[in-house]
Each structure stands twice: as C-alpha cells, then as structure tokens.
C-alpha cells in the first residue's frame, strides 16, 4: 500500500504570521506541504512560494485551487479580507483554516460560516494557543482533577504595538492591526479571541457571560490599545482576560493562571506564537511549586497543522466546531457596553 500524500496547503496572505510561523510549521510536518501562496502582491507571494519546491504564486484562491494537490487554505490576510477569501475557498471545495478573528465584523463572520456550512467543507479557526504544548499539558491536569474545583482563570497577553510598527525582517509591511477598516478594532479584536477560546480549551467549558472595558491611553491611533474582559463560565468559573498594545516588550506581559481549590497552574511566556515558556504547578497544601514538563521546542503552529492533517484524514474529529467559534465571537462583541450592535460596529470602525 502506498503512503498517503502530504496535505497540500494554500497560504493566503504572505504576511508576518504566515511567513514566520505557519509556513515553517507546514514545512516541519512530514504530513503537509505548501503547494501555493496567494497574495494580491504577487512579488510577496513569489518570495514565500520560493521557499517550497514546486509551490506556485497566485493572485487569488481561484487560481490556487487549480494547483495539483491543493486541499486546504490557510487564511492569513487582514481581517476585513477573510470573508471573500474563505468564500472563494468554499466555492472551490477546499478546506479552510482561517485566522482569528473570523472577520472584521460579526456580520461578515456570520456570512463566512454560512458559506462554509453550505459548501460542506472542513472549516476551522486558527487558534494556535489551543495547541501550545504547555496549554495542552495544563488542560490535562485540569481534567485529571489535580487542581480540585477550578475557581478562576486569569490571562494577561500584551505587547508593544506603536502606530508605525513593522514586523522584523518584513520591510514594506504596514501596521494594518491599528487600522479600524482592515482590523475591525485594536488590541481587543486582535488578542482577546485567543484568551476567550483558550478558556474553553483549558476547562472544557466556555465563557457564557462577559463584559469588557477598553482604553485608548498610550498609542496614537483610532483603535483601542488595551482591554479587560471579565466573564464567567456556566459552572461559575470567573475569568479575566487583559490584552494590550501598550505594554513594553521588556516587561512581564504574558501570563496564564488557572486557580483551583487544591492547586494553581501558572504559565509564563506561553501566550504568543513561539514555542517554549514555563509551566508550574503550585500545591495548595504547602505552597510549593514544581515545574510541569512539556515539549518546549514544539511550535503550537506545528501541532495545529498536524491536528488539521488528522481531521482531514478522518483519524480524529476536530473538537472545535466553527459555530462554536462564531458564538464566542458574538459573545466578545456583546461584551462591549454599547447601546446597539450598530454602535459597536461604528466603534470598531
């Protein structure tokens, strides 16, 4: 029996996250390969495609769908372009892994999910933090009962993102994350989805009620540079998710705490795109902490790629339905205290 062919990936959007994180993750997995790169800037597509033997550069998904072996589209364009790219992929019968948030507006996200459902394709949101080895180890400890009754989850995920920020080694890119038309918001829209999703992955239950406060305090742009979401799960676990574009990179700015009656898990420098960080378990009986082992060299993006491979091959079921991700995006929108949904859209734009 011949060995199965590697999953053929189309990377749509040749920017920083795709180039520096997703592309290396696909390359690191024997079960995957990049067959095409799509970008309106064909030169950018060509530069990224050149890293993969035989990969083609295309201006649109329709062209990439004709490349032999194309199976799944990783969507890493600016947020406002997610919906049309996903709709094109669905129309071509390709599977989709779409970066968070699903879209710059809730209405676009709803249309995106509807298109995937109508086409009957595999579709998922690219929440890499679900797959960080430290977070998966934490989820196993929670499920084992090692923490006793979980009472709270606290997440801090910050960075320094000035108006003129450009990704390292990516000259010519602009900071679209601070453009309300393309991003749909600022730190809240960009970073909070990770924490909101991660709570469900860690606890096995999602946030069901939340409220959010935003700030525009440091950075000179028309979107928020900080936010705090406070919520609760159905069973009563209290959750706080603090995100910022105004925390200096030299300061402690990435921390996850899961508090229980018998112990507490503390993860530092695990929130983000990179492998590594630290996870420790503090015993409530004596206050002593012990390190929790996990694979510090394994990128969460690589684990995510392998999970998609397994789902497409039917080896395992994908545990995060797109409807669930849409529901959490709706919760996130509703958590901002404004009078109407139209006001929220206007606030983000």
């Amino acid at each position: 029996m011949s060995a199965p062919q590697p999953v053929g990936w189309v990377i749509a959007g040749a920017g920083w996250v795709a180039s520096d994180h997703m592309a290396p993750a696909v390359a690191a997995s024997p079960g995957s390969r990049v067959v095409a790169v799509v970008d309106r800037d064909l030169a950018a597509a060509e530069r990224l495609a050149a890293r993969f033997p035989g990969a083609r550069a295309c201006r649109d998904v329709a062209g990439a769908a004709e490349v032999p072996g194309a199976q799944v589209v990783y969507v890493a364009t600016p947020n406002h372009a997610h919906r049309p790219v996903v709709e094109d992929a669905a129309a071509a019968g390709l599977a989709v892994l779409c970066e968070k948030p699903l879209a710059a507006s809730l209405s676009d996200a709803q249309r995106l999910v509807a298109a995937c459902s109508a086409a009957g394709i595999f579709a998922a949101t690219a929440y890499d933090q679900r797959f960080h080895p430290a977070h998966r180890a934490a989820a196993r400890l929670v499920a084992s009962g090692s923490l006793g009754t979980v009472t709270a989850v606290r997440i801090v995920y910050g960075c320094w993102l000035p108006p003129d920020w450009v990704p390292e080694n990516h000259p010519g890119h602009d900071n679209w994350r601070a453009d309300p038309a393309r991003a749909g918001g600022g730190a809240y829209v960009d970073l909070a989805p990770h924490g909101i999703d991660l709570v469900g992955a860690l606890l096995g239950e999602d946030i069901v009620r939340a409220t959010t406060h935003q700030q525009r305090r440091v950075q000179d742009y028309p979107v928020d540079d900080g936010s705090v979401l406070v919520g609760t799960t159905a069973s009563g676990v209290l959750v706080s998710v603090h995100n910022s574009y105004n925390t200096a990179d030299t300061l402690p700015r990435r921390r996850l705490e899961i508090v229980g009656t018998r112990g507490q898990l503390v993860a530092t420098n695990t929130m983000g795109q990179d492998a590594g960080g630290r996870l420790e378990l503090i015993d409530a009986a004596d206050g002593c902490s012990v390190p929790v082992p996990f694979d510090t060299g394994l990128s969460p993006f690589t684990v995510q790629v392998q999970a998609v491979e397994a789902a497409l091959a039917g080896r395992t079921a994908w545990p995060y339905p797109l409807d669930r991700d849409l529901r959490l995006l709706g919760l996130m929108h509703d958590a901002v205290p404004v009078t109407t949904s139209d006001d929220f859209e206007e606030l983000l734009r």
Side-chain angles (χ1 to χ4, degrees), residues 267-306:
T268 51
N269 295 325
T270 58
M271 300 295 298
Q273 296 86 8
D274 298 318
R278 176 178 172 82
L279 179 64
E280 59 184 314
L281 174 62
I282 304 172
D283 192 327
D286 57 14
C288 293
S289 68
V290 295
V292 177
F294 65 93
D295 190 337
T296 58
L298 184 59
S299 162
F301 281 81
T302 299
V303 183
Q304 179 174 241
V305 165
Q306 293 170 343

